[in-house]
Amino acid sequence: MLEPLYRRFPSVLMAQRNLTRTKIRSVLASLGIVIGVIAIASLGMFGVALQYSISDNLGGLGNQVTVSPNGEAGVQNLTERDVREIRRAAGPDATVSPVKQRVEPIAFARGENTTQLVYGIQRPTQVYNASDGRIPEPFQSGALIGQSIADEYDLQPGNTITINGTSVRIRAVLESTGSFSQLNPDNRVIVPAGSFDDRNYAQVYVTTESGTAANESAMAIRDALNGREQRVTVQELGSIVDQVNQTFQVINTVLVGIAGISLFVAGISILNVMLMSTVERREEIGVLRAVGYQKRDVLKVMLMEATLLGVFGGVVGVVVSTLVGLAINYYTVDNAMALFRLANLWYLIAAFAFAVVVSVLSGLYPAWKAASEEPVEALRG
């Protein structure tokens, strides 16, 4: 199968034979390359998996906008007029959820009172789904609780909790979003907005179809409400996702750079092996030169030996790194193939290419030294 290759490139055959003479030494030299490739590819894929996991936990932050009163300008609440302006600016496709809030003493499952932040939302069906029970429409009585509270106190629809001394029936347990979000209901108690005496709102959450639409809505809301004075602060939560991604890109670069040091160490090992091989085969090189081999022929053979070490170590390293990457994906996101994408392939290809380049560069000086041997001096040595 390899005969055509050997006939076309005889230096490959000679390099292979030379390496198989000292199998243990060649394997140990390639082992350094294997470790370097595994370090680069595995750390790179680990960074990709970690970034995906964090971004997935952030959920739909990219399409959310939070509008809050600007306390520095003396604005403490958002009025009904502000909410109407926000609805108009956000556009017909956006979901606008004005939220009231206050701190109340709450007793769960006949326990002691705990201080809890209570939220008032007029139409919670626009924002949440129920995992147990049903969210009434319109929402005029009762309470909705998050999944974490229900699990902690063993509550379900039909049970009652006490809010500021008044018994309130639980209408539904809200479905967990499983992600970090301003609208995450896991630890929340939600009551009808009409139960609040205050007509003003603490915040307004705007949810759009995409990150681009969120950016456009945020700019429109700023223009509409901050014309004369900075009455509100508008936070595009998609910027958090961007910052997280940029941070992980830096972390990935640092991890891969650290792992690259192991390949340089492997290169030094190959350099040492090739130099030893040059010394041991000095007479053989002299014979080759004496029978007509040119300097470039000896150079090709020696460089081919270094290249074969790099290719062998790189292939083994890529195979092992692929298995490691699948394991990382499985334990990170419970799906071995979920993240095996272009980024993972890029790390595998980059690690393999870097391994071959380092091997060739490490073999340059020994190859030049062997090719520069004078035939007479080499035979005499």
Side-chain angles (χ1 to χ4, degrees), residues 134-309:
R134 186 178 67 86
I135 303 176
E137 182 65 35
F139 183 39
Q140 296 178 337
S141 63
L144 311 175
I145 62 172
Q147 188 67 56
S148 296
I149 293 177
D151 293 340
E152 181 178 356
Y153 296 99
D154 193 23
L155 297 173
Q156 57 187 355
N159 295 150
T160 59
I161 59 176
T162 303
I163 302 177
N164 197 20
T166 302
S167 293
V168 179
R169 185 177 298 276
I170 298 173
R171 307 296 295 272
V173 176
L174 300 178
E175 185 178 90
S176 175
T177 61
S179 63
F180 171 78
S181 167
Q182 292 277 22
L183 298 175
N184 193 326
D186 285 354
N187 293 290
R188 292 192 173 184
V189 174
I190 299 173
V191 297
S195 64
F196 284 67
D197 296 332
D198 191 356
R199 296 178 58 86
N200 296 322
Y201 298 93
Q203 283 182 321
V204 175
Y205 300 144
V206 179
T207 305
T208 60
E209 295 180 348
S210 64
T212 302
N215 180 264
E216 294 173 354
S217 296
M219 291 189 294
I221 292 170
R222 289 191 187 99
D223 293 339
L225 277 77
N226 289 341
R228 298 180 180 178
E229 59 176 338
Q230 299 293 317
R231 297 193 66 254
V232 298
T233 58
V234 182
Q235 184 182 14
E236 300 168 67
L237 300 183
S239 61
I240 298 176
V241 179
D242 293 337
Q243 292 174 4
V244 169
N245 289 333
Q246 291 174 4
T247 301
F248 273 103
Q249 288 176 1
V250 174
I251 292 174
N252 283 4
T253 302
V254 173
L255 289 176
V256 171
I258 294 173
I261 297 175
S262 61
L263 266 182
F264 282 110
V265 175
I268 295 174
S269 174
I270 290 178
L271 174 62
N272 182 53
V273 169
M274 297 299 295
L275 282 174
M276 292 177 62
S277 178
T278 300
V279 173
E280 292 175 354
R281 292 156 49 198
R282 190 180 182 196
E283 292 183 9
E284 177 187 333
I285 294 170
V287 172
L288 291 175
R289 293 296 310 281
V291 298
Y293 267 66
Q294 301 297 318
K295 285 186 177 181
R296 65 175 178 272
D297 298 320
V298 178
L299 189 66
K300 286 180 182 178
V301 173
M302 300 299 292
L303 282 179
M304 186 56 65
E305 291 181 23
T307 303
L308 288 178
L309 287 174

Side-chain angles (χ1 to χ4, degrees), residues 61-139:
L61 278 179
N63 65 338
Q64 292 179 11
V65 177
T66 303
V67 184
S68 306
N70 185 7
E72 295 181 358
V75 181
Q76 301 300 321
N77 296 288
L78 299 175
T79 64
E80 290 283 358
R81 180 179 177 182
D82 294 330
V83 174
R84 288 195 297 270
E85 287 292 327
I86 292 171
R87 290 186 190 277
R88 182 186 62 79
D93 296 328
T95 299
V96 178
S97 306
V99 179
K100 299 179 180 182
Q101 61 185 42
R102 65 180 180 227
V103 177
E104 295 280 12
I106 301 179
F108 298 104
R110 298 181 181 179
E112 296 182 357
N113 283 339
T114 60
T115 302
Q116 182 88 16
L117 195 60
V118 178
Y119 296 84
I121 300 180
Q122 185 175 4
R123 300 185 65 183
T125 52
Q126 291 183 334
V127 186
Y128 302 117
N129 295 316
S131 62
D132 192 9
R134 186 178 67 86
I135 303 176
E137 182 65 35
F139 183 39

Side-chain angles (χ1 to χ4, degrees), residues 295-338:
K295 285 186 177 181
R296 65 175 178 272
D297 298 320
V298 178
L299 189 66
K300 286 180 182 178
V301 173
M302 300 299 292
L303 282 179
M304 186 56 65
E305 291 181 23
T307 303
L308 288 178
L309 287 174
V311 170
F312 175 76
V315 170
V316 175
V318 166
V319 172
V320 176
S321 297
T322 301
L323 298 177
V324 172
L326 292 174
I328 290 173
N329 292 346
Y330 178 78
Y331 287 106
T332 303
V333 296
D334 295 329
N335 189 339
M337 296 300 297

